[in-house]
Amino acid sequence: MKKIISNIVIASALISSTYASDVLAIVNGENITTEVAPKNFKTLDKKIQQSIINKLIEKKLASDYALSTDVVNDEKYKKVLTHILSSGADKKKNSDKSSLADIVKEKTIKGYTKEQLESKKGLFTFDFLLDKKAENMKPSDKELKNYYYSNKFKYDTPAQIELLSIVVEKKSLAIQIINSLEKAKDKLQEFSIQAKKYSLAPTKNNHGYLAKMPISVLNAKLKPILKDKKRGYFSTTPIKTDFGYEIFYVLNDIPEYKSTFEGVKTKVKNEYIQKSVKSWAINKIKELKDKATIKIVNK
């Protein structure tokens, strides 16, 4: 399961402060200072500063909540956290027998201040809490099917076509290029050469690569010409468009794919769980924020 916290609370850079820390906000009696803000915080626009402070408040609330839960007693959690923190500790000050409490109290691990270290620890704990929730979720087939049919468009793929294009101003030049393609042994290589040499489009230096697109989005003029064409096809007659005379090469044709629930069940389950856990996290942070005593100091 991917880390979900990055989608919920944007963590600021955890770096050593090179300036005196200022209090930005007070959350439930505890200070949030510039130590956990971006290094260039003081130079930023006021609106950006306020947005960062808001994110830091959310991060603080999420961290404190996670650290108050039973997840901190999880053996896997303690093992991973101890490894993370001890890996940056001063070896002279922290022996292999250092306890987790001793490590957390260390104020200079990797240059972190105590506040930065607590923030790092809290965010890791919240992340771990979300991962545990994801691991423990057991959605029923009924729930997954409802999600699948509500989002079926995400799992179906329309018929698509991948195209190269050469655009020239004169029809005579377009016919000349087509003649060169017809004579060439390697049509694709020749198309690339001709595109670079003659095309007026900005894609000329990228082999004339136009795009991969659903056939349904082709305009009314091109759709009947290209909709049934297969890989390796190229225009044998110049096509007049708003850009000039165009020659197309079909780099790839991708048939329509109609998914089935069983065929994409694993993907559906992963997405359903991730969305559910993300939703839980957003609601939990909102709930914590509504109940918290918060004072913005930096205005």
Side-chain angles (χ1 to χ4, degrees):
M1 179 62 61
K2 293 181 179 179
K3 297 271 186 192
I4 302 173
I5 183 63
S6 59
N7 295 320
I8 313 301
V9 182
I10 301 175
S12 59
L14 291 173
I15 52 178
S16 295
S17 176
T18 57
Y19 47 82
S21 60
D22 296 330
V23 177
L24 301 177
I26 303 172
V27 178
N28 294 329
E30 294 188 11
N31 292 344
I32 296 177
T33 77
T34 47
E35 287 183 358
V36 291
K39 190 173 182 179
N40 64 338
F41 176 83
K42 292 182 178 181
T43 68
L44 298 173
D45 179 82
K46 282 292 183 183
K47 287 186 178 180
I48 298 176
Q49 287 184 352
Q50 292 306 312
S51 177
I52 290 172
I53 292 171
N54 186 55
K55 294 300 180 185
L56 290 174
I57 289 169
E58 292 177 350
K59 181 180 70 172
K60 172 69 174 170
L61 290 167
S63 298
D64 288 350
Y65 171 76
L67 290 168
S68 72
T69 67
D70 289 340
V71 75
V72 297
N73 298 318
D74 186 285
E75 289 304 318
K76 181 180 177 182
Y77 164 83
K78 289 192 284 187
K79 183 177 180 179
V80 175
L81 181 61
T82 301
H83 173 73
I84 291 172
L85 297 177
S86 63
S87 63
D90 187 335
K91 292 182 180 179
K92 293 181 180 179
K93 295 181 180 180
N94 294 279
S95 68
D96 292 338
K97 295 182 180 180
S98 294
S99 68
L100 179 58
D102 291 333
I103 294 167
V104 170
K105 289 177 184 177
E106 171 59 51
K107 295 184 180 182
T108 58
I109 293 177
K110 291 185 180 178
Y112 296 145
T113 66
K114 185 176 181 180
E115 184 183 2
Q116 290 166 347
L117 184 58
E118 286 293 339
S119 177
K120 182 181 178 73
K121 176 189 173 188
L123 283 178
F124 166 77
T125 308
F126 193 68
D127 247 357
F128 193 91
L129 176 64
L130 297 186
D131 284 344
K132 288 286 288 184
K133 282 190 171 294
E135 289 173 10
N136 293 331
M137 282 192 69
K138 307 292 182 186
S140 66
D141 273 7
K142 182 178 180 180
E143 289 174 307
L144 294 180
K145 283 181 179 178
N146 286 340
Y147 181 82
Y148 166 71
Y149 287 113
S150 296
N151 297 276
K152 195 172 186 300
F153 66 94
K154 292 169 57 177
Y155 307 106
D156 293 345
T157 305
Q160 298 180 78
I161 191 167
E162 196 165 15
L163 296 170
L164 305 181
S165 170
I166 295 174
V167 184
V168 294
E169 186 177 357
K170 295 181 179 180
K171 184 176 182 180
S172 58
L173 178 54
I175 292 172
Q176 177 187 316
I177 293 170
I178 290 170
N179 289 336
S180 297
L181 289 170
E182 289 176 332
K183 294 174 184 177
K185 289 183 178 180
D186 189 329
K187 314 289 187 190
L188 180 56
Q189 183 181 52
E190 182 65 19
F191 196 95
S192 177
I193 292 170
Q194 295 293 323
K196 190 170 185 178
K197 188 174 182 180
Y198 294 115
S199 185
L200 301 175
T203 59
K204 61 181 295 180
N205 292 321
N206 190 27
H207 315 288
Y209 185 79
L210 183 59
K212 179 168 70 173
M213 65 192 81
I215 292 174
S216 60
V217 305
L218 291 172
N219 65 43
K221 188 169 188 176
L222 294 180
K223 188 182 291 185
I225 298 172
L226 298 172
K227 67 176 182 178
D228 297 322
K229 300 303 184 286
K230 303 299 179 184
R231 181 185 303 180
Y233 166 86
F234 63 89
S235 310
T236 54
T237 302
I239 301 172
K240 185 68 172 71
T241 69
D242 293 338
F243 306 103
Y245 288 93
E246 289 197 63
I247 304 159
F248 292 96
Y249 183 98
V250 178
L251 187 62
N252 200 10
D253 62 285
I254 305 164
E256 179 183 28
Y257 170 72
K258 289 286 189 181
S259 67
T260 63
F261 173 69
E262 291 300 330
V264 294
K265 184 176 179 179
T266 299
K267 185 176 182 180
V268 169
K269 182 179 179 181
N270 289 338
E271 289 184 4
Y272 176 84
I273 289 174
Q274 184 169 346
K275 185 175 181 180
S276 298
V277 174
K278 179 179 177 180
S279 178
W280 177 88
I282 291 172
N283 290 333
K284 173 55 68 176
I285 291 172
K286 184 179 183 302
E287 174 192 323
L288 293 169
K289 206 169 183 179
D290 289 343
K291 293 180 179 179
T293 301
I294 300 171
K295 180 181 178 181
I296 306 293
V297 177
N298 183 283
K299 292 184 179 179

